[in-house]
Amino acid sequence: MATERKRKVSLFDVVDEATALSGKISKMNGVGVGGNLSLAQNLNLNRWNGRPYSQRYFDILEKRKTLPVWQQKDEFLQALNANQSLILVGETGSGKTTQIPQFVLEAIKLDDKGKKMMVACTQPRRVAAMSVSHRVAEEMDVTIGEEVGYSIRFEDKSSARTILKYLTDGMLLREAMTDPLLEQYKVIILDEAHERTLATDVLFGLLKEVLRNRPDLKLVVMSATLEAEKFQAYFSGAPLMKVPGRLFPVEIFYTQDPERDYLEAAIRTVVQIHMCEPPGDILVFLTGEEEIEDACKKIAKEVTNMGDQVGPIKAVPLYSTLPPAMQQKIFEPAPPPVKEGGPLGRKIVVSTNIAETSLTIDGIVYVIDPGFAKQKVYNPRVRVESLLVSPISRASAHQRSGRAGRTQPGKCFRLYTEKSFKNDLQPQTYPEILRSNLANTVLTLKKLGIDDLVHFDFMDPPAPETLMRALEVLNYLGALDDEGNLTKMGEIMSEFPLDPQMSKMLVVSPGFNCSNEILSISAMLSGKILLLSSTSLIPKFVTVLGCIGCVLCPVRLSSAIALSGFHATVWCVPQNLLIPNCFVRPREAQKAADEAKAQFGHIDGDHLTLLNVYHAYKQNNEDPSWCYENFVNQRAMKNADNVRQQLLRIMSRYNLKLCSTDFSSREYYVNIRKAMLAGYFMQVAHLERTGHYLTVKDNQVVHLHPSNCLDHKPEWVIYNEYVLTSRNFIRTVTDVRGEWLVDIAPHYYDLENFPQCEAKRVLEKLYKKREKDREDKKNRK
Ligand code: CDP
Ligand code: MG
């Protein structure tokens, strides 16, 4: 009776392991221990799957118990029991991400009514979600994808048995679209809250509302030691718990003069440390995949050239799109000395911002911080969102240096001057919501039933202009009506985890009799998805002087940005990093690679070229050697294929017909191009008599990216990305006809709403011609 009452009073009470064990084990199939507790305990059976614990479990457990959060386990559980929301701040590496969800699980009442009682832990980065869930599955001695799982865009590794799910913040937001009260969760942990990603910020506002409606739900907001008080104020005084860090002192070094080329300087510094400094691993912060791979190769080469006077090294890359098996390499130990008594080996991790707070790598003693990261910027006036390599904030620099002092005193080499640090870097990073195109977010919010965006409880409200722009775009796409309400079209569009333009293109594609092809193109364009978050807004004084393009780009202009006392090479990457990176172009075989690419080339545009590649890949049975011989990136293709399947499932769920125009028909490619235009009619450029392209309505001068496959300069093109530099490129372009603009998107190409320009005059003629054609037709009848 007493227990009964207790259960009713406390929605969330600390259950001792024994009760939990008996409840769970008796449910486990194939485990013949039934409710025999003492036997279960004696056998050391795992609470979650009823199997005996492995030796490794106990080994890791010992290590886990030394993590700072373990000191406060009871305090944490009591605070969680007593409060609906809780804020937990702690130094990176104190065990928040891996341990807290396990504490919560241990304490959670196992539900006896068969209702799901999951714990969710969000991560802004997909790599972190994958990596941490693997680690926690190992710590709990269960199989990944079963009791512990993860869910990231286009990949769900969880099952009906999952009780702890790591997922990207974007995925939790998507789940809220179908389960507005997030009823399958008992406790939600928003991790890495200090990152202030767009999705986390939206979740803040949303969860505040959900908590009001679900008194049984608990929320834990976890963050590194940044802005904790701001979170506390926002969550109406939720208690703040601090986990004292275990940081050793870190000595900071600055360069005397600004570095011209941070990549070269970083490599040089690695080599110097390896030669002159006592043992300890090195962590280098760079900005992206190609740069990181390049640096790893160069470091390995330089160290090899030094012969056996220095110890062996292992240079390991870390970035979001790295396959999971490769990601695990960062946790492997440094290589042993080549011969006994020889110089010691060193591990060198070359990473993006991921290693700043999301992943902790033990044993790092030296940090090299060039002071840059890829950051999203958005200009609502021209609707261009780009990822730009730009200086980090001082807060980020502090976090980075902290990585050197996790296990012993360390050193951090900042590849910029102290003056720059003080004068040029922003104190804090701007939240992503202030630097993003919000079209997708607004669509999600509308789907979630939040109509009054102006009064939505944003921690930092976005600029009204950005919100207006988003509403306008969605209205043009037919996702919102003129009153701003979600339409049927908008509802279906919101189901796709894609940009609204792409979703629109998919939804309307059956009407153009080419949904199969549009699916393939969308998959090829989305094959590579990164969630990079940010560190600071580009300061005003940064001038981008040029673009060195991507690997595909034959131009490779070397460029530099100059800030006061802060020099660096910089390049740009396209919006959302939607790079169709299916082509490989190794430096030693560029000509052969270009020839291989040319065989897929379609004269009407890059989208169709991508379609050709996809078709060829499938026709060749996804053969790896075919990929190799044709300089096609097999991983990108597999990824695209996977994305395609997922999108296909959504199409089927909404009964969107899968169809194709007969390949021999002249309309085959025309229909595809029209369907693309139906989604991307706001991303069109017109060729002026001057020979330049101007983006329609925004009138920005742009150039076709040199990687394009066109054999001519079409009068009108649609483009997938706007690459922002001093010479602005549009990349992944396809030829469209002016007539189609007035047929497919007359509401956007409405001349009353059009700035005076050459395109307008051409459109006027097209409208007149259309009028005349109609008259003629009528007369003939
Ligand atoms: O979240 P927080 O930064 O507070 O720490 P954490 O990610 O929970 O990491 C706690 C400890 O687990 C660190 O010492 C990591 O090195 C270790 N860890 C690991 O060994 N392997 C992983 N895949 C993840 C974490
Ligand atoms: Mg963490």
Side-chain angles (χ1 to χ4, degrees):
M1 195 56 202
T3 10
E4 219 19 69
R5 202 175 308 129
K6 190 175 160 214
R7 281 195 178 180
K8 277 192 185 130
V9 173
S10 170
L11 288 155
F12 181 96
D13 51 17
V14 179
V15 191
D16 57 279
E17 189 86 353
T19 327
L21 257 172
S22 67
K24 190 78 183 177
I25 288 178
S26 55
K27 277 193 228 153
M28 290 294 156
N29 40 1
V31 181
V33 287
N36 191 338
L37 224 341
S38 56
L39 179 61
Q41 276 169 332
N42 286 344
L43 285 174
N44 277 331
L45 291 183
N46 189 330
R47 172 187 175 185
W48 303 112
N49 58 13
R51 293 192 203 119
Y53 282 119
S54 66
Q55 184 52 43
R56 184 154 168 75
Y57 167 83
F58 294 103
D59 295 346
I60 304 182
L61 186 61
E62 284 315 302
K63 214 180 140 211
R64 287 170 56 199
K65 284 183 178 165
T66 64
L67 289 168
V69 287
W70 274 74
Q71 305 290 320
Q72 281 156 286
K73 183 175 170 186
D74 292 342
E75 191 193 329
F76 166 78
L77 289 175
Q78 274 160 19
L80 187 64
N81 197 25
N83 298 281
Q84 198 180 11
S85 322
L86 182 63
I87 292 155
L88 181 83
V89 295
E91 210 56 68
T92 305
S94 53
K96 298 184 299 298
T97 310
T98 52
Q99 308 307 306
I100 295 291
Q102 295 189 68
F103 295 169
V104 172
L105 275 181
E106 220 175 273
I108 221 168
K109 236 185 345 192
L110 287 173
D111 184 61
D112 25 27
K113 294 182 205 82
K115 206 167 138 200
K116 273 213 110 169
M117 285 297 172
M118 268 205 283
V119 173
C121 180
T122 64
Q123 296 293 313
R125 296 166 201 284
R126 35 189 273 135
V127 182
M130 280 194 275
S131 165
V132 168
S133 57
H134 276 93
R135 168 73 184 183
V136 172
E138 207 183 353
E139 290 188 358
M140 287 170 57
D141 218 2
V142 299
T143 312
I144 183 76
E146 293 189 7
E147 287 77 9
V148 177
Y150 68 85
S151 171
I152 58 180
R153 184 156 77 149
F154 297 131
E155 191 180 348
D156 182 6
K157 209 160 172 62
S158 66
S159 68
R161 295 172 67 108
T162 303
I163 31 136
L164 168 57
K165 185 153 80 173
Y166 285 89
L167 71 180
T168 51
D169 43 11
M171 282 312 293
L172 187 62
L173 204 53
R174 292 210 77 80
E175 286 189 2
M177 283 164 54
T178 43
D179 177 12
L181 291 178
L182 293 162
E183 274 175 295
Q184 52 174 339
Y185 299 109
K186 175 99 176 164
V187 178
I188 292 175
I189 305 171
L190 293 183
D191 197 4
E192 301 275 311
H194 64 271
E195 291 251 1
R196 301 290 310 276
T197 56
L198 185 51
T200 294
D201 265 19
V202 175
L203 280 170
F204 283 156
L206 202 66
L207 281 169
K208 246 179 138 171
E209 199 53 47
V210 175
L211 288 170
R212 261 194 285 271
N213 292 307
R214 266 194 63 193
D216 61 316
L217 179 71
K218 303 257 179 190
L219 172 71
V220 182
V221 177
M222 303 205 291
S223 115
T225 48
L226 295 160
E227 294 195 295
E229 286 73 21
K230 190 167 177 175
F231 296 136
Q232 203 178 9
Y234 179 77
F235 285 103
S236 330
L240 175 69
M241 212 179 121
K242 288 190 176 166
V243 182
R246 200 178 42 179
L247 268 189
F248 292 89
V250 176
E251 214 179 331
I252 311 266
F253 299 89
Y254 293 94
T255 53
Q256 289 292 318
D257 301 303
E259 292 288 351
R260 290 231 142 252
D261 179 343
Y262 71 75
L263 185 59
E264 187 266 326
I267 295 168
R268 184 172 10 101
T269 312
V270 168
V271 173
Q272 271 164 6
I273 293 173
H274 189 49
M275 277 193 333
C276 313
E277 295 284 343
D281 297 336
I282 307 175
L283 172 61
V284 188
F285 285 99
L286 290 178
T287 68
E289 171 174 346
E290 273 141 32
E291 193 182 55
I292 286 170
E293 289 289 355
D294 195 31
C296 284
K297 276 189 208 127
K298 284 184 177 147
I299 292 168
K301 198 169 151 205
E302 297 235 355
V303 174
T304 314
N305 287 347
M306 288 158 74
D308 29 333
Q309 48 167 326
V310 293
I313 59 134
K314 185 155 66 180
V316 275
L318 178 61
Y319 47 85
S320 316
T321 46
L322 204 64
M326 296 286 288
Q327 287 163 17
Q328 284 310 105
K329 280 195 185 305
I330 59 167
F331 298 110
E332 288 175 7
V338 179
K339 52 178 186 261
E340 218 172 300
L344 291 175
R346 229 187 266 274
K347 176 169 73 178
I348 299 157
V349 180
V350 188
S351 170
T352 60
N353 249 2
I354 298 168
E356 198 174 289
T357 58
S358 309
L359 289 180
T360 308
I361 309 153
D362 287 333
I364 299 292
V365 180
Y366 306 97
V367 163
I368 300 173
D369 171 19
F372 287 95
K374 256 179 209 164
Q375 319 205 31
K376 200 197 264 177
V377 278
Y378 178 59
N379 179 344
R381 220 143 283 167
V382 290
R383 280 180 290 122
V384 175
E385 188 181 77
S386 315
L387 278 169
L388 222 58
V389 174
S390 41
I392 59 169
S393 65
R394 283 204 290 279
S396 268
H398 281 305
Q399 284 294 334
R400 288 181 171 191
S401 58
R403 302 301 108 242
R406 287 259 307 118
T407 35
Q408 65 179 80
K411 290 181 179 174
C412 173
F413 298 86
R414 292 187 176 152
L415 304 181
Y416 38 91
T417 62
E418 189 166 8
K419 199 165 147 253
S420 265
F421 174 77
K422 290 194 175 129
N423 302 335
D424 299 341
L425 299 191
Q426 312 248 358
Q428 295 283 349
T429 306
Y430 281 83
E432 194 182 5
I433 197 160
L434 305 182
R435 321 178 253 110
S436 302
N437 173 351
L438 295 181
N440 216 352
T441 307
V442 168
L443 187 59
T444 308
L445 286 170
K446 289 279 177 183
K447 175 77 207 258
L448 288 165
I450 293 148
D451 290 324
D452 186 1
L453 296 175
V454 179
H455 294 105
F456 183 71
D457 193 358
F458 289 111
M459 195 181 274
D460 284 283
E465 188 180 356
T466 309
L467 273 179
M468 286 312 294
R469 268 294 195 180
L471 290 167
E472 187 188 63
V473 163
L474 293 170
N475 181 241
Y476 277 130
L477 288 170
L480 300 180
D481 62 21
D482 292 346
E483 274 71 54
N485 300 317
L486 197 66
T487 60
K488 186 84 196 123
M489 166 63 75
E491 221 159 277
I492 305 177
M493 279 168 61
S494 71
E495 291 296 320
F496 290 90
L498 303 169
D499 276 350
Q501 283 90 335
M502 198 181 277
S503 313
K504 173 76 191 254
M505 166 172 93
L506 274 165
V507 178
V508 298
S509 61
F512 292 91
N513 203 14
C514 58
S515 49
N516 286 318
E517 288 73 18
I518 291 295
L519 263 174
S520 308
I521 293 172
S522 304
M524 289 294 282
L525 290 172
S526 316
K528 178 170 174 170
I529 289 128
L530 294 194
L531 217 163
L532 277 163
S533 18
S534 56
T535 8
S536 77
L537 199 69
I538 303 187
K540 280 191 289 296
F541 44 79
V542 182
T543 17
V544 183
L545 300 177
C547 159
I548 60 165
C550 58
V551 213
L552 307 176
C553 169
V555 179
R556 278 207 163 250
L557 301 166
S558 195
S559 61
I561 58 167
L563 340 178
S564 42
F566 207 112
H567 292 283
T569 314
V570 58
W571 62 91
C572 49
V573 284
Q575 171 193 358
N576 288 343
L577 264 193
L578 294 176
I579 310 171
N581 60 334
C582 59
F583 300 110
V584 188
R585 193 168 187 259
R587 212 157 279 175
E588 63 284 0
Q590 288 182 353
K591 195 163 165 274
D594 291 343
E595 281 165 14
K597 185 182 167 189
Q599 44 164 356
F600 304 113
H602 192 292
I603 52 165
D604 285 333
D606 300 319
H607 298 88
L608 304 179
T609 303
L610 292 176
L611 182 65
N612 284 346
V613 178
Y614 182 77
H615 283 159
Y617 171 71
K618 295 304 268 187
Q619 270 156 19
N620 286 282
N621 305 319
E622 303 162 29
D623 177 11
S625 53
W626 175 86
C627 290
Y628 181 79
E629 282 156 24
N630 290 281
F631 295 88
V632 167
N633 180 342
Q634 194 202 357
R635 190 152 68 83
M637 297 309 295
K638 269 195 169 158
N639 204 351
D641 220 11
N642 175 27
V643 171
R644 193 182 189 282
Q645 273 170 31
Q646 317 251 358
L647 297 178
L648 186 78
R649 246 172 260 154
I650 305 176
M651 297 279 281
S652 311
R653 209 182 312 141
Y654 285 87
N655 291 327
L656 295 168
K657 204 171 79 185
L658 297 172
C659 49
S660 296
T661 307
D662 183 16
F663 187 66
S664 58
S665 159
R666 282 175 54 189
E667 298 302 303
Y668 180 81
Y669 286 113
V670 168
N671 286 346
I672 298 170
R673 286 154 64 199
K674 282 184 178 172
M676 288 194 297
L677 181 65
Y680 285 91
F681 55 83
M682 281 174 277
Q683 290 180 201
V684 170
H686 180 249
L687 179 65
E688 307 284 295
R689 259 173 301 186
T690 53
H692 290 127
Y693 279 94
L694 275 191
T695 57
V696 163
K697 285 200 179 180
D698 303 322
N699 287 342
Q700 300 289 306
V701 178
V702 288
H703 305 268
L704 298 182
H705 194 270
S707 63
N708 81 76
C709 295
L710 298 162
D711 70 342
H712 61 295
K713 270 180 131 182
E715 182 179 3
W716 302 93
V717 289
I718 49 167
Y719 58 90
N720 189 55
E721 312 133 15
Y722 186 114
V723 185
L724 187 73
T725 58
S726 62
R727 190 177 158 81
N728 294 337
F729 288 108
I730 45 176
R731 179 152 51 189
T732 316
V733 288
T734 288
D735 181 346
V736 290
R737 290 202 206 121
E739 296 84 341
W740 302 346
L741 301 176
V742 297
D743 283 345
I744 292 172
H747 60 303
Y748 187 73
Y749 290 88
D750 164 19
L751 295 180
E752 275 176 29
N753 253 321
F754 222 89
Q756 272 311 330
C757 59
E758 212 177 303
K760 182 173 182 171
R761 288 189 287 279
V762 178
L763 287 166
E764 264 160 4
K765 278 187 208 144
L766 288 169
Y767 273 113
K768 278 198 190 117
K769 185 171 173 284
R770 193 168 75 153
E771 224 20 64
K772 193 170 168 291
D773 288 350
R774 280 195 187 149
E775 288 282 312
D776 291 351
K777 219 174 184 176
K778 230 177 13 200
N779 292 342
R780 248 180 280 138
K781 266 190 190 159

